[in-house]
Amino acid sequence: MTSAEPRLERILFTEEQVNQRVDEVAAEISAHYAGRELKLIGVLKGSVFFLTALARRLTVPVKIDFLAISPFVNPAGAPGVVRISKDLDEGIQGEHVLLVEDIIDTGFTARYLLRNLASRGPESIGLCTLLDRTTRRLAQITIDYRCFEIPDRFVVGCGLDFKQLYRNLGYIAVLKPD
Ligand code: IMP
Ligand code: MG
């Protein structure tokens, strides 16, 4: 690790490894949706870097749209409650939709978003994530495409942040514990 990033412990996946996996997953997605048009829906801001990398590699016609969520804090401390703070610009009725996430952790966010999007009448809906931390999963969801499974450590890079920093790193790194 370079001294320019003193808060990072080690690189988990290099930029080359990330690019290779994105190539492979994009090929899988292109094959699955061949002959159809696909709408990628990104969750701001974490999925932006992965979504654009993926979109550039897809061989099917692609539309993109974004939504943003904020954790809904309630006094009872119920976990996994999220609300949409910026909705999609357009409807998804009759479209093939792929929800693109940076990381699936507990799975609460993805489960909420998949249910919400499904209620809008898409032709199909799938889930694609850059990272999958299976050890902390609490909500049962099906992930259709994933690039990497990761250990139970906080990671940054490729869109993932710590206090809004490190999203622009081309690699995935483990943050030093405090
Ligand atoms: P969950 O699957 O509902 O628990 O939510 C996952 C969300 O938590 C992701 O979209 C990220 O915004 C955030 N998150 C979880 N783990 C990490 C991490 O290791 N680094 C950065 N953000 C994370
Ligand atoms: Mg996120």
Side-chain angles (χ1 to χ4, degrees):
M1 189 60 57
T2 66
S3 57
E5 308 288 359
R7 303 219 47 183
L8 305 185
E9 184 179 290
R10 67 190 161 95
I11 292 179
L12 201 54
F13 303 109
T14 65
E15 187 161 355
E16 290 68 31
Q17 288 173 311
V18 171
N19 286 337
Q20 195 194 326
R21 276 303 289 152
V22 178
D23 280 346
E24 290 166 4
V25 168
E28 275 182 61
I29 295 170
S30 294
H32 180 85
Y33 291 96
R36 288 175 285 179
E37 194 179 273
L38 180 61
K39 179 169 281 183
L40 301 178
I41 293 183
V43 184
L44 296 171
K45 312 181 204 67
S47 74
V48 167
F49 291 82
F50 176 45
L51 182 142
T52 56
L54 195 61
R56 291 188 62 162
R57 291 162 163 92
L58 294 177
T59 57
V60 293
V62 166
K63 292 181 178 176
I64 65 173
D65 205 346
F66 293 96
L67 53 77
I69 52 163
S70 51
F72 181 87
V73 184
N74 86 23
V81 183
V82 296
R83 80 179 171 84
I84 293 178
S85 56
K86 180 234 173 281
D87 207 347
L88 301 175
D89 288 336
E90 292 176 356
I92 54 172
Q93 176 102 38
E95 297 189 272
H96 293 285
V97 166
L98 189 60
L99 180 65
V100 180
E101 265 286 23
D102 50 357
I103 181 168
I104 310 289
D105 188 28
T106 63
F108 282 128
T109 307
R111 183 176 65 182
Y112 171 80
L113 292 177
L114 287 170
R115 285 179 180 169
N116 181 291
L117 294 173
S119 74
R120 305 181 193 197
E123 176 69 24
S124 71
I125 183 153
L127 176 61
C128 175
T129 188
L130 175 65
L131 305 178
D132 182 7
R133 190 189 284 116
T134 56
T135 50
R136 283 167 42 94
R137 190 67 31 82
L138 293 170
Q140 288 315 308
I141 48 167
T142 302
I143 299 175
D144 300 285
Y145 306 95
R146 77 161 181 209
C147 294
F148 301 103
E149 185 175 348
I150 62 162
D152 193 5
R153 293 294 308 275
F154 195 88
V155 296
V156 295
C158 296
L160 291 111
D161 73 302
F162 173 68
K163 296 184 176 173
Q164 299 302 327
L165 288 169
Y166 308 115
R167 292 191 195 277
N168 60 319
L169 300 179
Y171 51 86
I172 305 282
V174 174
L175 200 70
K176 275 184 192 162
D178 262 343

